Amino acid sequence: MNTPAETQQPGSQPAPLGLPIDPRAYARGLSCVHCGLCLPACPTYTSNGNEADSPRGRIQLMLGLADGTVAPTAPAVKHIDLCLDCRACETACPSGVVYHELLEETRAQLRQHSSRINQATGAQLPRRSLSDRAIEWLFLNMLTHPFRLKVSLLAPRLLQKLGIYPLLRKTGLFNILPPGLRKMEQMLPPRGPLWPRRMPERVAAAGSKPGESDKPKVVVAFLPGCVGSVMFARVNQMAVQLLADCGADVVIPRNQGCCGAMHHHAGLHAESVKMARQNIIALEQADFITSTIAGCGAMLREYDVLFRDDASYADRARHFAAKVRDISEVLLQLGLNDFPHPVHETITYHDACHLVHAQKVAAAPRALLAMVKGLKLAPLAESEMCCGAAGTYNLTQPVMATDLAERKVRHIEATACRTCATGNVGCAMHIQSHALQTGRELSVVHPIEILHRARFGS
Ligand code: SF4
Ligand code: SF4
């Protein structure tokens, strides 16, 4: 088992300069008391037993990188890269260590300063592989633009509709792709519309007449998400229909954009701030701001952190963040409790990291599902453990991501359920794709799909 100190290359001297980590993020690390209570919750540590791949080990490593006592060698950085940023350690930590701030700041600084570090220390931090850079480019330039994503999916969707795509897969043609890009191809859901419809700008509360404005209604701003609006279009439509049926006026402003999570996690601070500003302007007038995508919701909920150094925007961002709720919380708050159509099925539920650990939402989706007549919810072992999707992680770290997906699918199999619900598009695609690849019969759905069926019968 490696300790952080052992990750320094033999004979290497401490780095002559530390990473310029924001003092607030550094202080987050200093609040760790090394108790180790987070270790059993950490997917990477429980997978390989390496202290340097545990939250405690990584915190020491990152503090060392910041103060210059740990050299920023390639093996050291590997432990930072292997972290899923799932934040299970934060849920487990009794000292309230806000681990992700230190991690994200360290990653951003490593990215920004890697050539300076190489020059100053001879550390030879490797350039990211062509495949990793291609994946990042695709994520930042295609997946965060729904129109481009729709265009890029047109050909595969057409081939799927014609029944040719599975045959192409069988020929092994896609095996020539680098592992990350191959994984991306495998994640394409087997079904989906050729050209997902754009959502309307407003859906009035059920029962209201056009132009009616006599009684005050709850206004809910809905963020469909970039990938969500293409891959989860049906789920988004169902969510909006449920919101309106519960008496909310739903607004889906055209001038909103990407939540900025991918840019933020890639260390592109200026870009994520720009996107956050655009969304605050577009959505802030509503009473609640919501999304069906846990990753987007978590990002919206933390916009206040992005603007903490901007006195002109800090208050606005704080008010915005305070209005953000997961879709399950909003529906519960609006009083959704009448489900006339029984669903006679036993399903299980996987807690998406960005819902349970980042947003601390575990009870609301379960409470809604518990009200559906005929539905049974089987408990899932390690339901709060990351499935390995974690944004681009399943593409850049395919080995660990596949191990974690396998672990998740085995736990689902142990429940004997054929359906697993989860509140994040990334988890759904990753678990579903792994089940398909390994020949398991499993359907991964959003809880909204079940609630919609129970409410409307279809
Ligand atoms: S964020 Fe997740 S993978 Fe990273 S140290 Fe914490 S628990 Fe482990
Ligand atoms: S549980 Fe918290 S304080 Fe304890 S080792 Fe983990 S991060 Fe540090």
Side-chain angles (χ1 to χ4, degrees):
M1 186 170 82
N2 294 334
T3 63
E6 287 164 353
T7 61
Q8 291 189 31
Q9 285 169 344
S12 68
Q13 296 298 313
L17 76 171
L19 279 181
I21 301 286
D22 181 299
R24 285 165 301 198
Y26 186 83
R28 301 294 198 191
L30 286 181
S31 60
C32 171
V33 296
H34 321 298
C35 65
L37 290 172
C38 53
L39 269 58
C42 174
T44 54
Y45 176 75
T46 53
S47 289
N48 66 17
N50 188 339
E51 171 73 14
D53 287 323
S54 77
R56 181 174 62 185
R58 287 191 179 109
I59 289 170
Q60 289 312 300
L61 183 58
M62 292 187 280
L63 292 177
L65 287 170
D67 59 29
T69 56
V70 173
T73 59
V77 173
K78 226 168 119 187
H79 298 297
I80 311 290
D81 288 344
L82 198 66
C83 176
L84 295 134
D85 201 5
C86 68
R87 297 164 67 168
C89 45
E90 293 183 10
T91 302
C93 177
S95 303
V97 174
V98 187
Y99 170 90
H100 75 280
E101 280 192 28
L102 178 59
L103 177 79
E104 287 158 16
E105 170 70 3
T106 304
R107 282 183 170 165
Q109 294 300 339
L110 279 169
R111 182 190 178 102
Q112 207 174 328
H113 296 285
S114 59
S115 52
R116 183 175 70 96
I117 292 167
N118 283 347
Q119 272 177 10
T121 66
Q124 298 186 339
L125 290 179
R127 271 171 68 79
R128 286 174 309 136
S129 69
L130 192 62
S131 163
D132 282 4
R133 279 181 283 150
I135 288 166
E136 186 174 281
W137 186 90
L138 281 171
F139 263 73
L140 298 180
N141 295 286
M142 300 293 285
L143 269 66
T144 57
H145 296 267
F147 180 76
R148 293 181 201 167
L149 182 57
K150 279 195 230 178
V151 171
S152 68
L153 287 178
L154 209 47
R157 286 293 191 214
L158 194 60
L159 292 173
Q160 276 181 340
K161 292 241 176 286
L162 296 172
I164 299 169
Y165 200 79
L167 301 177
L168 281 179
R169 267 189 178 153
K170 272 193 193 142
T171 64
L173 179 73
F174 299 127
N175 294 346
I176 56 168
L177 292 170
L181 293 178
R182 199 168 143 211
K183 184 86 195 151
M184 210 165 177
E185 182 281 318
Q186 288 169 348
M187 281 175 59
L188 179 69
R191 279 176 299 281
L194 209 52
W195 190 262
R197 269 186 300 143
R198 207 174 178 192
M199 303 190 88
E201 268 190 285
R202 178 176 180 259
V203 177
S208 58
K209 299 183 184 75
E212 182 191 65
S213 60
D214 53 339
K215 54 176 180 175
K217 294 213 176 66
V218 175
V219 178
V220 178
F222 187 81
L223 181 126
C226 308
V227 179
S229 63
V230 180
M231 303 286 199
F232 256 18
R234 215 170 59 90
V235 170
N236 281 341
Q237 281 155 11
M238 290 175 177
V240 168
Q241 197 183 348
L242 282 167
L243 286 168
D245 203 46
C246 291
D249 264 343
V250 189
V251 290
I252 310 140
R254 292 268 196 264
N255 58 339
Q256 64 175 305
C258 170
C259 68
M262 287 185 195
H263 296 78
H264 180 65
H265 296 308
L268 301 168
H269 182 70
E271 287 83 348
S272 51
V273 166
K274 197 170 151 203
M275 290 167 179
R277 223 180 269 274
Q278 185 184 343
N279 286 328
I280 290 173
I281 292 167
L283 308 170
E284 69 184 338
Q285 296 299 330
D287 300 303
F288 296 116
I289 298 146
T290 193
S291 174
T292 56
I293 318 291
C296 304
M299 184 69 202
L300 299 179
R301 233 165 172 145
E302 290 175 356
Y303 273 3
D304 54 332
V305 180
L306 287 183
F307 292 97
R308 62 186 169 187
D309 292 328
D310 181 348
S312 68
Y313 231 76
D315 275 351
R316 217 168 149 184
R318 214 173 13 254
H319 285 131
F320 179 94
K323 290 181 180 182
V324 180
R325 305 276 189 285
D326 178 59
I327 184 71
S328 58
E329 295 177 291
V330 182
L331 289 172
L332 210 53
Q333 199 156 342
L334 291 174
L336 177 61
N337 60 14
D338 183 18
F339 296 101
H341 303 276
V343 176
H344 294 290
E345 207 180 322
T346 304
I347 67 161
T348 193
Y349 178 82
H350 158 66
D351 288 279
C353 299
H354 279 92
L355 200 51
V356 67
H357 301 306
Q359 300 190 55
K360 309 293 181 210
V361 176
R366 287 181 170 87
L368 286 168
L369 291 170
M371 287 189 256
V372 174
K373 287 185 217 92
L375 188 76
K376 290 200 182 84
L377 202 58
L380 178 66
E382 294 187 340
S383 72
E384 295 190 358
M385 179 78 77
C386 182
C387 64
T392 55
Y393 187 93
N394 53 353
L395 309 174
T396 56
Q397 303 285 345
V399 176
M400 179 63 78
T402 303
D403 283 357
L404 293 173
E406 176 59 25
R407 183 165 162 168
K408 184 62 67 185
V409 170
R410 279 202 191 143
H411 283 317
I412 296 171
E413 278 179 327
T415 66
C417 296
R418 292 279 171 268
T419 302
C420 176
T422 188
N424 195 41
V425 63
C427 307
M429 287 166 67
H430 182 59
I431 301 171
Q432 185 71 81
S433 143
H434 182 76
L436 276 174
Q437 295 303 312
T438 51
R440 266 84 155 235
E441 235 183 83
L442 176 65
S443 168
V444 188
V445 300
H446 197 287
I448 286 294
E449 295 177 71
I450 295 170
L451 299 175
H452 188 274
R453 180 145 59 107
R455 179 82 168 183
F456 301 109
S458 61

